[in-house]
Amino acid sequence: IAGITQAPTSQILAAGRRMTLRCTQDMRHNAMYWYRQDLGLGLRLIHYSNTAGTTGKGEVPDGYSVSRANTDDFPLTLASAVPSQTSVYFCASSVLRSSLNEQFFGPGTRLTVL
Amino acid sequence: EDQVTQSPEALRLQEGESSSLNCSYTVSGLRGLFWYRQDPGKGPEFLFTLYSAGEEKEKERLKATLTKKESFLHITAPKPEDSATYLCAVQGRQDSGAGSYQLTFGKGTKLSVIP
């Protein structure tokens, strides 16, 4: 693989179900991010991790959790999905070099919660 | 709080008709301004980073420029394959700590180039 992969590509989920979106990068980037993109609202940061073993909250973290056990993987979990979490989710990564954050994005996961 | 406003929201051009997209920003000390291209159903694709006012970057028919308050993405003689949504993002000089590398994105400009 090259770059960032996300799985699944799309998913329809019943409200109340638990769901984990997967993200893997092979660029050895130290930082990773999860965004959601909604029409009219743009990209909004959910959670981030500047290095393996650490995570932080972004603009819209409620209802989501993340973990960063190693450099390559950054899964996003919805513990109990709600319809307002219907969105397109993008994972991104970057090398935090000289404090400048050029981020590279995965292909996205389209999630529908019914 | 950092803010990014892109205009217009949508732009239709005839093939070969040059134009510019605008990204106005408010940030507490700019570390970098980023342009991305996003095709329908895909993730944003990195185009440029601009660091300081007066800087310019070029890639094929695209040229990005930066002032202290805004950035322009100039498209010269566009082709239909330039049709996409163009996103602008800023990284400001936030307080030190784990959140100091976050980007703030604009909502994008959807460009359509008609043959």
Side-chain angles (χ1 to χ4, degrees), chain A residues 33 35 37 40-43 45 48 50 55-59 90 96 98-108 110, chain B residues 1 31-34 36 38 41-46 48-49 51 57 87 91 97-103 105-107:
Chain A
Y33 313 86
Y35 292 88
Q37 188 175 41
L41 296 176
L43 281 163
L45 183 66
Y48 63 91
N50 285 347
T55 63
K57 295 181 179 180
E59 179 185 356
F90 290 101
L96 294 181
S98 300
S99 300
L100 199 60
N101 192 358
E102 297 175 349
Q103 296 183 12
F104 297 87
F105 286 78
R110 181 174 295 275
Chain B
E1 180 180 333
R31 281 182 171 168
L33 185 141
F34 308 88
Y36 289 83
Q38 186 174 22
K42 297 190 176 181
E45 174 189 350
F46 173 77
F48 303 111
T49 304
Y51 301 93
K57 294 256 179 96
L87 303 174
Q91 179 184 352
S100 60
Y101 304 109
Q102 293 181 25
L103 303 187
F105 281 85
K107 296 179 182 180

